[in-house]
Amino acid sequence: MANSRFEYVKSFERESYLLPSSWIVIRVDGRGFHKFSDKYKFAKPNDIRALNLMNAAAKALMNNITEVILAYGDSDEYSFVLGRNCQLFERREAKLVSTFASTFTANYITLWNQFFSKEPLDPTFLPTFDSRAVLYPTDQSLRDYLAWRQADCHINNLYNTSFWALVLKGGMTPNDAESELCGTISKDKHEILFTRFGINYNAENEMFKKGTLIIRELKDIAEAEMTATPVVSTHTGPAILSKRQLERIEKRRRKADINVLHTDIIKDDFWLERSWILK
Ligand code: ATP
Ligand code: ATP
Ligand code: MG
Ligand code: MG
Ligand code: MG
């Protein structure tokens, strides 16, 4: 393209490249979903349609962006994990976070009617998602990140289940329910649920308690990557694969199964069963 006298303004642009060799986590979160969930009459504490829609939008994103290895979501958020050597958009941060937020939003809106056929979207009140990228330099810190989100899901769900039982089944005002739960520990909430409402928290839906993990089953691809030799160097770190190898891996990624699980990712079992993730 011919240079124009205006082109110097391009030099004002700044690019932030995410550090090489670190795990990249991109977390999208619904904007103002407290209000959004009221507007579209989400059931409290857990609207199953809304959770299934979040999961479907995350899965659609993973079909489209094959570099995502796994994703974990609950409530109005989803975290997408990209591998240490991922070179998507040369690891440019703005490109990654804006693409994830817009791809997720586009899928969420497109899939809306499948889950909320009786609640058409109001064009003046559309769902949107923000997104951020965080780097985790060690395998332990990536595991701790995911454990943190799952622990958060559990704590919020136990609180919300107790709160809404007191309000909807116990006839309390939201303020009274909040005071009732103030200072209670996990055991007290289990007790309130069981003795007053006959609810055995442990028997609640696994998706509500543990959130959702979506995993691309890449066992054999991970092995192929491990045996690959470095060929090119770029400013974002060593690219470890040749073009042909990359194409082959991309093809296998597209074909890999994507599984949806509601399982514990805090304990070791999940990570031992899929030891290829943290090679
Ligand atoms: P922000 O824009 O800062 O993220 P927010 O209102 O979205 O604000 P969050 O902390 O993200 O705040 O909380 C999301 C809220 O959305 C939850 O507290 C809950 O009220 C509601 N929500 C999300 N998913 C569901 C669901 N499946 N069922 C019922 N309510 C939900
Ligand atoms: P990237 O993902 O890096 O942005 P890109 O393919 O979107 O890649 P751009 O530099 O953004 O590259 O260029 C957008 C291209 O989209 C244009 O070069 C043109 O081919 C096409 N395009 C955009 N708008 C129109 C339009 N209104 N009519 C025809 N073609 C269009
Ligand atoms: Mg939110
Ligand atoms: Mg949230
Ligand atoms: Mg473009």
Side-chain angles (χ1 to χ4, degrees):
M1 202 206 291
N3 284 348
S4 75
R5 69 187 172 91
F6 306 117
E7 203 167 288
Y8 78 96
V9 295
K10 179 100 177 100
S11 69
F12 284 50
E13 288 186 13
R14 287 292 173 271
E15 202 61 72
S16 164
Y17 293 92
L18 297 176
L19 280 182
S21 310
S22 293
W23 294 99
I24 301 173
V25 174
I26 301 176
R27 183 171 71 249
V28 300
D29 184 284
R31 177 179 175 214
F33 261 49
H34 196 73
K35 259 193 178 162
F36 184 86
S37 59
D38 279 346
K39 156 89 180 170
Y40 291 101
K41 305 190 184 82
F42 284 17
K44 294 292 176 180
N46 288 294
D47 189 298
I48 200 154
R49 298 165 302 174
L51 292 172
N52 287 334
L53 171 55
M54 287 292 292
N55 297 343
K59 208 171 167 190
L61 181 147
M62 284 177 69
N63 279 326
N64 182 245
I65 306 177
T66 58
E67 284 83 354
V68 176
I69 299 170
L70 61 91
Y72 173 78
D74 75 290
S75 182
D76 68 339
E77 69 169 65
Y78 244 98
S79 298
F80 297 95
V81 177
L82 298 168
R84 288 177 178 282
N85 293 318
C86 177
Q87 292 301 318
L88 180 60
F89 303 137
E90 303 162 87
R91 299 174 81 90
R92 288 155 64 196
E93 180 173 12
K95 193 94 179 170
L96 285 165
V97 296
S98 57
T99 300
F100 272 69
S102 63
T103 304
F104 192 86
T105 302
N107 284 311
Y108 189 94
I109 291 177
T110 304
L111 292 162
W112 176 267
N113 284 339
Q114 287 184 30
F115 297 88
F116 285 91
S117 54
K118 296 202 177 80
E119 303 287 343
L121 277 177
D122 171 354
T124 66
F125 204 142
L126 294 172
T128 55
F129 291 81
D130 68 22
S131 150
R132 72 198 63 192
V134 186
L135 293 176
Y136 290 99
T138 63
D139 290 351
Q140 190 60 49
S141 58
L142 175 72
R143 264 191 69 169
D144 289 346
Y145 170 80
L146 292 165
W148 173 52
R149 294 328 298 147
Q150 189 166 57
D152 193 69
C153 169
H154 163 72
I155 292 163
N156 289 336
N157 189 56
L158 181 57
Y159 182 90
N160 291 337
T161 306
S162 311
F163 176 88
W164 287 104
L166 290 169
V167 172
L168 298 175
K169 299 198 169 110
M172 278 190 177
T173 65
N175 276 343
D176 288 347
E178 202 182 318
S179 315
E180 183 83 16
L181 293 174
C182 186
T184 57
I185 58 169
S186 172
K187 193 169 144 272
D188 305 327
K189 294 188 189 77
H190 279 264
E191 187 75 13
I192 290 173
L193 283 171
F194 193 68
T195 54
R196 292 205 217 165
F197 307 107
I199 298 172
N200 174 6
Y201 184 77
N202 295 328
E204 289 282 290
N205 189 323
E206 290 297 309
M207 176 161 68
F208 301 166
K209 290 184 295 179
K210 296 201 171 70
T212 300
L213 188 93
I214 310 183
I215 180 144
R216 193 187 309 280
E217 303 289 3
L218 288 175
K219 189 172 183 299
D220 47 342
I221 297 175
E223 278 161 10
E225 269 179 335
M226 277 200 303
T227 53
T229 40
V231 285
V232 220
S233 260
T234 72
H235 61 290
T236 53
I240 53 160
L241 300 166
S242 72
K243 196 159 166 275
R244 250 191 74 220
Q245 284 171 309
L246 280 173
E247 280 167 8
R248 219 173 44 225
I249 285 172
E250 170 63 15
K251 206 169 142 197
R252 289 162 84 178
R253 275 208 189 103
R254 288 205 174 280
K255 281 206 265 174
D257 291 337
I258 294 180
N259 283 326
V260 179
L261 312 167
H262 311 291
T263 189
D264 188 304
I265 50 172
I266 298 176
K267 293 196 208 102
D268 290 334
D269 301 16
F270 171 81
W271 300 99
L272 291 172
E273 267 166 39
R274 289 185 175 76
S275 56
W276 56 266
I277 301 173
L278 307 176
K279 294 166 272 205

